[in-house]
Amino acid sequence: MAFMEKPASNKLFLDDTVPLTAVIEASQSLQSHTEYIIRIQRGVSMENSWQIVRRYSDFDLLNNSLQISGLSLPLPPKKLIGNMDREFIAERQKGLQNYLNVITSNHILSNHETVKKFLDPNNYSANYTEIALQQVSMFFRSEPKFEVVEPLKDIGWRLRKRYFLMKCKNQPKEYLVLSWADLGPDKYLQDKDFQCAIKLLQSWSHPNIYRVTFATASELSALIIRPFNEKGTLKDLIYKAKPKDPFLKKYCNPRKIQGLELQQIKTFGRQILEVLKFLQDRGFPYGHLHASNVMLEGETCRLMDLENSLLGLPSFYRSYFSQFRKINTLESIDVHCFGHLLYEMTYGRPPDSVPVDQFPPAPSLSVVSVLESILSCEACKSGMPSVSQLLQTPLFSDVTLMNTEKPQFKIPSKLKEALKTAKECMEKRLAEEQKLIYQHRRLTRAQSHHGSEEEKKKRKILARKKSKRTNYDSGEEQSIKCNNSNNSAGSGTSSPLTSPSSPTPPSTTGNSTFQIPAPPPPPPPPAAPLLPPSKDVPTESAPISVNGTDRGALLSSIKNFRKGALKKAETNDHSAPRTS
């Protein structure tokens, strides 16, 4: 049953989990206030960025809407006098930048609707509550047996998902929860397969899957009705929270941080791993495990929101596992999400960052061992263990489950193939995103390394060495050129490399007759003082060469010269005038 009109074919679904970063580029003072020009970027691509202009009053309104979280956010205080001074504006800009950094780095705050609208008003200007009410009202026209009791405002973290407390007219004492959600960027099922899968939700049953009372979908969104549980989810148990309270109030800043008992960790963990294995064995993609998607009924955990993967919604922990290229399948995503959940059950709060360098003391070393195999730096880089391997660890292998309910989970073969294709498309999009993040990280690391003070010093030293080497080489080249010009043969007026009594080499130009030079004088006595070293006269005792020939060899050839050995030259005189 479709309860909405067919959408335009060119509709693009935005991934709301892609982090937004904000940098204040400049400020401009007007007559009575100051405006801050902020550069916003989605993800790692510089092309996907834009500018917004915000006043201090806009920051103040944002901060007021986030006060429900109970966090102490570092918004700079107001100032009535002197708030237009240049130094004050510069100092306030630094404070506002720090405020933006805190908000965008907080996993829960950064996904809140007011923050998204503040940073990206073009994509988040719609009133999602009003849209949901319109679609739910259209649904009730054909299903009059349900009625709305009250809207459950902001109980979830998704801004495109809204909840309503319901009841059935035939059973007025039993409360239900209706969730309405828009489609997401990973919706790859064809409409026919999508409708079939949504209708199957209410027929599936498993001892560790929370049952669905009613499910329907259109080409744009889906509507799911489930029983309302007053005790809430596993996350409500960990944080001692009330299920109807807003998400920010319940989980952002818990008053008391306390993990679960070891036996609860073992039992709940084993139940969740069993249902994950059950879904993986049947080829059903999940990837949406977190503590708010685990409903508690006594000591039994029941998984919720199986429809998220059918709708193509991004995972709560996507911004974490998209950083690691080894977490590239929905099976490994399930395990990574289980690591977050196990950490939260153990320590009563989520990890500050992932990967985790050091784990606090836990109720058992076996808990730390499992956490290290999933959330440590080595695990995130080398890959996740399988669900079957986790079930065989000492932490979960000795847990006995008492299940009396027989699973009913039939998937037609044609739908199985469609789910397999959709799963491959989801993993392909994740791999492409991880590749971009990896390339950006390498580029950023190279730029940071190149711009470090140590690298700047190294480059200065290398530049000095290169300059000295260049100067030395040019001086040496100049000296060689000078020596070659001084040693060249011919009728030059000076021969610096020869002694004053050395004979001048004969000219070989033309047919001139050679004159036998006088024999060289005897060498000076050993006691004679050496000439002082000069720039032009060498001081070494090595043989002096002229035009590449040793001096001794030159003198020997002059001494052995014989005029009769010369060939007679024959000339043809063509100087007489020609007559024709």
Side-chain angles (χ1 to χ4, degrees), residues 466-482:
K466 185 177 181 181
S467 177
K468 290 180 180 179
R469 190 181 302 113
T470 303
N471 293 337
Y472 176 79
D473 292 343
S474 61
E476 191 176 46
E477 183 180 352
Q478 194 70 21
S479 175
I480 292 173
K481 287 181 179 179
C482 180

Side-chain angles (χ1 to χ4, degrees), residues 132-148:
L133 280 170
Q134 291 175 358
Q135 307 313 317
V136 171
S137 299
M138 293 177 66
F139 160 73
F140 284 134
R141 292 177 185 176
S142 56
E143 292 291 340
K145 64 179 180 179
F146 295 106
E147 62 177 335
V148 176

Side-chain angles (χ1 to χ4, degrees), residues 238-496:
I238 296 172
Y239 288 75
K240 311 295 187 296
K242 298 178 181 179
K244 292 184 181 180
D245 285 343
F247 198 85
L248 287 186
K249 182 179 180 181
K250 290 188 291 186
Y251 309 132
C252 237
N253 187 30
R255 296 179 180 178
K256 187 177 181 181
I257 299 176
Q258 183 178 357
L260 303 180
E261 296 179 359
L262 179 60
Q263 190 57 44
Q264 287 180 310
I265 295 173
K266 293 167 67 72
T267 303
F268 294 163
R270 176 62 186 261
Q271 292 175 358
I272 294 169
L273 288 173
E274 287 288 353
V275 69
L276 288 178
K277 188 176 185 303
F278 177 85
L279 293 174
Q280 291 180 4
D281 290 345
R282 280 149 187 79
F284 186 86
Y286 186 52
H288 291 272
L289 176 64
H290 59 88
S292 292
N293 276 350
V294 179
M295 190 64 73
L296 273 182
E297 290 185 342
E299 292 296 313
T300 302
C301 288
R302 297 184 184 270
L303 214 59
M304 289 197 309
D305 285 6
L306 267 65
E307 71 275 6
N308 283 356
S309 57
L310 304 177
L311 272 67
L313 302 181
S315 172
F316 181 66
Y317 293 119
R318 185 179 180 89
S319 60
Y320 287 91
F321 59 72
S322 61
Q323 307 293 320
F324 308 104
R325 302 183 75 178
K326 289 293 184 180
I327 308 176
N328 51 15
T329 65
L330 262 71
E331 290 80 7
S332 60
I333 290 172
D334 285 335
V335 173
H336 182 77
C337 295
F338 178 78
H340 282 264
L341 176 58
L342 180 61
Y343 189 101
E344 213 164 355
M345 287 195 295
T346 305
Y347 302 111
R349 59 180 179 84
D352 295 329
S353 62
V354 176
V356 181
D357 297 327
Q358 189 173 2
F359 294 90
S364 172
L365 292 177
S366 58
V367 177
V368 177
S369 177
V370 174
L371 289 172
E372 287 178 343
S373 70
I374 302 174
L375 298 180
S376 66
C377 184
E378 183 180 354
C380 291
K381 290 182 178 180
S382 60
M384 299 288 102
S386 66
V387 173
S388 298
Q389 290 173 334
L390 291 177
L391 285 169
Q392 295 172 2
T393 58
L395 182 62
F396 304 115
S397 60
D398 60 347
V399 178
T400 303
L401 300 180
M402 302 297 294
N403 292 328
T404 57
E405 182 183 349
K406 186 177 180 180
Q408 298 290 333
F409 203 90
K410 294 182 180 180
I411 302 177
S413 57
K414 187 177 180 181
L415 181 58
K416 274 189 177 181
E417 289 299 320
L419 290 172
K420 181 180 178 182
T421 303
K423 174 179 175 291
E424 292 172 352
C425 292
M426 295 177 198
E427 293 171 350
K428 182 179 179 182
R429 187 177 84 88
L430 175 61
E432 291 173 353
E433 182 180 342
Q434 290 172 332
K435 182 179 179 181
L436 291 176
I437 294 174
Y438 176 74
Q439 292 174 347
H440 173 74
R441 189 184 296 129
R442 286 190 63 185
L443 179 61
T444 304
R445 190 161 51 238
Q447 290 174 344
S448 177
H449 177 70
H450 193 69
S452 64
E453 291 298 327
E454 184 179 353
E455 281 299 307
K456 288 180 180 179
K457 290 180 181 179
K458 287 182 180 179
R459 288 198 297 272
K460 287 181 180 179
I461 294 172
L462 289 175
R464 290 196 198 102
K465 289 182 178 180
K466 185 177 181 181
S467 177
K468 290 180 180 179
R469 190 181 302 113
T470 303
N471 293 337
Y472 176 79
D473 292 343
S474 61
E476 191 176 46
E477 183 180 352
Q478 194 70 21
S479 175
I480 292 173
K481 287 181 179 179
C482 180
N483 292 340
N484 287 341
S485 65
N486 291 336
N487 292 339
S488 62
S491 57
T493 57
S494 63
S495 300

Side-chain angles (χ1 to χ4, degrees), residues 169-229:
K169 293 181 179 179
N170 299 332
Q171 298 173 325
K173 294 184 178 181
E174 293 186 8
Y175 288 97
L176 306 168
V177 174
L178 181 149
S179 64
W180 171 89
D182 204 349
L183 301 184
D186 281 324
K187 194 266 181 183
Y188 295 107
L189 285 174
Q190 299 296 323
D191 289 343
K192 186 177 180 180
D193 298 322
F194 175 64
Q195 293 287 343
C196 176
I198 291 296
K199 289 179 180 178
L200 283 174
L201 286 173
Q202 57 195 87
S203 66
W204 291 339
S205 65
H206 186 277
N208 298 114
I209 294 179
Y210 202 58
R211 63 189 177 92
V212 173
T213 303
F214 183 84
T216 186
S218 72
E219 295 87 351
L220 271 179
S221 58
L223 185 150
I224 312 294
I225 298 178
R226 293 182 175 89
F228 175 71
N229 189 341

